[in-house]
Amino acid sequence: MTDEGLQALIENVSLNAFGKPFIHIARFNKRLRTTGGRYMLSDHSIQINPLVLEVHGTEELVGVIKHELCHYHLHIEGRGYRHRDADFRDLLKYTGSPRFCRPLTEGNKRVHSMHVYECVSCKTLYNRRRRMNVRKYRCGKCAGQIVAIQPLK
């Protein structure tokens, strides 16, 4: 879908769901990372993350568009357009708009390698995510010397 197609879709959704026209600019923004879309207060434009369409499809895209149009129409009318405002929450319910966008990525599921250290005297094991300077620290139980063991994968 192009920016022109998105513009037409937003204008159509605005008329059907809200009964009011959308007369400003709408476009895709590839730089959005954590959100499905955003409404710009300064120029009244709406930016949509293209990943919403790629990952979740048209139905989720229409939901994000409705959410941003709630911000748009309330702000234009001078009513409460923020997430915490009662006007905004009521309009979300009335139009069937989602409060949040579904996650666009898997999230941070990176496996951290653990560094394992052992006391030479009492054999106590210490698991750490970060490396530590073994010359700077001693065992907390017996004050013995600590040595590094190979990190787990």
Side-chain angles (χ1 to χ4, degrees):
M1 181 181 284
T2 62
D3 284 347
E4 291 80 20
L6 178 67
Q7 179 78 32
L9 179 62
I10 289 180
E11 289 171 1
N12 188 22
V13 169
S14 180
L15 285 174
N16 291 339
F18 296 87
K20 300 172 188 173
F22 175 75
I23 56 173
H24 290 88
I25 297 171
R27 63 182 170 268
F28 284 111
N29 185 350
K30 294 178 183 175
R31 293 173 297 178
L32 296 177
R33 293 279 180 226
T34 60
T35 184
R38 69 178 171 191
Y39 165 65
M40 303 299 291
L41 296 172
S42 58
D43 63 356
H44 306 293
S45 67
I46 291 179
Q47 299 176 359
I48 302 292
N49 189 338
L51 283 177
V52 173
L53 182 60
E54 293 172 21
V55 174
H56 299 299
T58 308
E59 188 176 328
E60 183 72 15
L61 176 64
V62 170
V64 170
I65 289 171
K66 284 182 180 180
H67 179 99
E68 299 309 324
L69 283 171
C70 287
H71 290 296
Y72 171 79
H73 288 298
L74 290 171
H75 182 247
I76 295 290
E77 294 169 4
R79 294 167 54 201
Y81 61 88
R82 294 186 177 107
H83 287 112
R84 65 178 179 258
D85 293 331
D87 288 336
F88 181 76
R89 291 184 186 204
D90 292 341
L91 190 57
L92 281 179
K93 286 180 188 174
Y94 177 74
T95 59
S97 305
R99 181 114 188 266
F100 302 105
C101 177
R102 286 173 33 198
L104 298 171
T105 61
E106 290 292 320
N108 192 2
K109 301 214 178 196
R110 200 174 68 192
V111 177
H112 297 282
S113 62
M114 297 294 286
H115 298 277
V116 181
Y117 300 91
E118 182 181 35
C119 174
V120 175
S121 304
C122 67
K123 305 296 183 196
T124 301
L125 292 176
Y126 296 95
N127 296 318
R128 298 288 182 266
R129 282 196 174 160
R130 292 185 174 185
R131 282 190 331 221
M132 63 184 240
N133 185 353
V134 293
R135 285 183 252 131
K136 198 173 179 182
Y137 297 98
R138 305 293 276 187
C139 176
K141 291 185 178 179
C142 69
Q145 181 184 0
I146 296 175
V147 294
I149 301 175
Q150 294 296 325
L152 298 174
K153 294 294 177 183

